[in-house]
């Protein structure tokens, strides 16, 4: 169970990273406003199914922005319990 939770946390972090680094060019927010979250939510839902609402996508982005350093993984994953972001 720990491995699954760690994998999920890492997946959410990577989605947030993709939003910030690739879609927002590393900026706090995309220049074209909220449309990026809506677009990425639609793309992720098409590819992976449920769990990628606009609300969750915003939370994935916020998660990455809060913990941008991958070195935090061993400590972070040990402290977090499963929850849907």
């Amino acid at each position: 169970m720990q491995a699954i939770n760690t994998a999920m946390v890492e997946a959410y972090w990577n989605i947030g990273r993709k939003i910030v680094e690739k879609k927002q060019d590393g900026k706090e927010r995309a220049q074209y406003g909220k449309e990026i979250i809506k677009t990425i939510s639609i793309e992720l839902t098409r590819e992976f199914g449920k769990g990628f609402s606009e609300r969750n996508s915003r939370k994935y982005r916020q998660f990455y922005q809060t913990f941008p350093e991958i070195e935090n993984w061993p400590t972070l994953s040990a402290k977090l319990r499963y929850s849907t972001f």
Side-chain angles (χ1 to χ4, degrees), residues 1 6-8 11-12 15 17 28 31 34 36-38 40 53 61 69 75 77-79 81-83:
M1 189 67 151
T6 300
M8 290 174 67
Y12 297 152
I15 292 167
R17 181 176 58 86
E28 184 72 22
Q31 290 183 356
K34 295 181 181 180
I36 188 64
I37 295 296
K38 183 177 183 177
I40 202 140
S53 66
R61 178 183 63 189
E69 299 298 323
T75 304
S77 63
K79 289 181 180 178
R81 291 184 300 180
Y82 173 77
S83 66

Side-chain angles (χ1 to χ4, degrees), residues 3 8 11-12 16 23-26 30-33 36 41 43-44 47 51 57 60 62-63 65 68 70 76 78:
M8 290 174 67
Y12 297 152
K23 302 290 186 180
Q24 296 179 190
D25 294 321
Q31 290 183 356
Y32 37 95
I36 188 64
S41 174
E43 290 172 4
L44 289 168
E47 189 169 347
S57 296
Y60 303 147
Q62 181 182 15
F63 181 50
Q65 289 171 326
I70 196 76
L76 180 62

